[in-house]
Structures are given as C-alpha cells and as structure tokens.
C-alpha cells in the first residue's frame, strides 16, 4: 500500500474488518472518486481483532454496497502501531473500538482518533455491528456510514 505522507489519510476501524470498516472505506473511496480528489487521499480499513486477517468483507457487506452501485474488494487486516503515525485520521465505529485503539495507541501518535459517527449530521455516534443481524441492519450501517463519511469528507474539503 502507498503511504505517501503528503496525502491526506484516513483509516476506518471496526472489530473484525469485515462489516462496518470496509463499508465505510468503500463509501469513502466512492465519494472521493466522485469528487475527483481520490489521488489526494490514502484510505484503508482495519480491525481491532485479528480473527479476520486475510478474509474478504462479509458477503452481506458487499451485497449491500452492490445494491447501491459500489463494488469493493478488500482484505481484512488488524490495526498496527504504525497506523497511528501513517494515518492523519483513525475513525472507528463504537466505544469498544475506541477503547481498544486507545490501549494500543503509542505515545507519539499523530493520528486524530475519534468515532466516525461523530460526523453523522443526525447525531448517531455509534455504528452498531450488524454481523449477528439481518440485511436491514447492514443497510442501516450503510446509511449511517454514508452520512458520516460525506460529512467527514466535507470537513476536509473546506
């Protein structure tokens, strides 16, 4: 992966890196491409846990994205210490993710660590894990991620 430090950068994080964070990554990549600023960004996603390293996104994640005209192929990985200096922003999905990231964050971290949902104009801070749920739960995650990534991107373009 290209870690050009002159680019703006964001890492989306959830627990396993197969549902929420790859959805947010795919949505963000779609939005920056639509705006013609994709060459200015380095974007990735990761999980706080290691049990999906090397796995593709959950089939319900890719199905939800495809229903909205977005194709995405990702490979699960775990957050590592270097991510805290590689990325300007680390945006996670819930309090559990935030606590786990705070535990491994190095003292010299340069990343701004916060909840992706803090950017949601509807004020829904937590993006609940849909893994045990239905396709409608994945659609809810899609809508929350979409609102939040658009608002985050707009905050970076002004």
């Amino acid at each position: 992966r290209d870690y050009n430090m002159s680019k703006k950068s964001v890492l989306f994080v959830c627990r396993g890196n197969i549902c929420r964070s790859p959805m947010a990554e795919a949505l963000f990549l779609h939005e920056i491409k639509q705006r013609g600023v994709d060459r200015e960004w380095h974007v990735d996603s990761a999980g706080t846990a290691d049990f999906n390293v090397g796995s593709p996104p959950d089939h319900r994640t890719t199905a939800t994205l495809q229903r909205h005209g977005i194709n995405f192929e990702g490979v699960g990985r775990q957050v590592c210490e270097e991510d805290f200096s590689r990325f300007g922003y680390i945006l996670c999905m819930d309090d559990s993710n935030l606590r786990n990231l705070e535990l491994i964050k190095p003292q010299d971290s340069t990343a701004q660590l916060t909840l992706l949902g803090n950017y949601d104009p509807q004020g829904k801070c937590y993006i609940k894990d849909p893994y045990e749920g239905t396709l409608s739960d994945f659609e809810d995650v899609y809508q929350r991620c979409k609102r939040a990534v658009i608002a985050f991107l707009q905050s970076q373009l002004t």
Side-chain angles (χ1 to χ4, degrees):
R1 301 212 181 208
D2 172 23
Y3 294 105
N4 181 338
M5 298 315 281
S6 66
K7 290 184 175 187
K8 292 180 182 181
S9 55
V10 61
L11 178 68
F12 296 100
V13 177
C14 66
R15 184 169 177 236
N17 194 216
I18 60 169
C19 296
R20 296 169 291 174
S21 58
M23 192 171 300
E25 179 187 3
L27 277 159
F28 193 77
L29 289 167
H30 177 76
E31 292 297 328
I32 60 176
K33 188 168 186 172
Q34 295 280 32
R35 288 165 173 76
V37 295
D38 48 314
R39 291 175 183 258
E40 299 170 24
W41 282 89
H42 172 66
V43 183
D44 200 2
S45 64
T48 57
D50 66 357
F51 44 76
N52 292 314
V53 170
S55 298
D58 185 286
H59 69 280
R60 296 164 295 178
T61 297
T62 45
T64 301
L65 288 165
Q66 287 171 343
R67 269 198 313 280
H68 292 278
I70 300 171
N71 291 314
F72 181 72
E73 293 180 21
V75 177
R77 75 172 186 88
Q78 187 175 23
V79 175
C80 61
E81 195 172 294
E82 294 78 31
D83 289 330
F84 291 90
S85 57
R86 237 182 241 157
F87 291 92
Y89 292 88
I90 298 178
L91 304 179
C92 61
M93 304 298 154
D94 60 34
D95 272 347
S96 175
N97 305 149
L98 194 58
R99 278 192 305 276
N100 288 329
L101 289 166
E102 291 285 0
L103 286 172
I104 62 167
K105 180 175 131 181
Q107 285 200 319
D108 63 349
S109 170
T110 55
Q112 292 188 43
L113 175 59
T114 192
L115 294 167
L116 173 61
N118 285 342
Y119 290 93
D120 185 345
Q122 292 186 13
K124 297 186 178 184
C125 296
Y126 305 116
I127 300 172
K128 187 175 177 257
D129 191 348
Y131 185 76
E132 299 292 333
T134 65
L135 270 176
S136 69
D137 295 313
F138 280 80
E139 180 62 29
D140 183 57
V141 167
Y142 175 89
Q143 295 301 333
R144 287 179 185 223
C145 285
K146 182 175 182 176
R147 290 191 308 264
V149 300
I150 289 171
F152 169 71
L153 179 57
Q154 287 172 337
S155 78
Q156 299 301 302
L157 297 176
T158 54

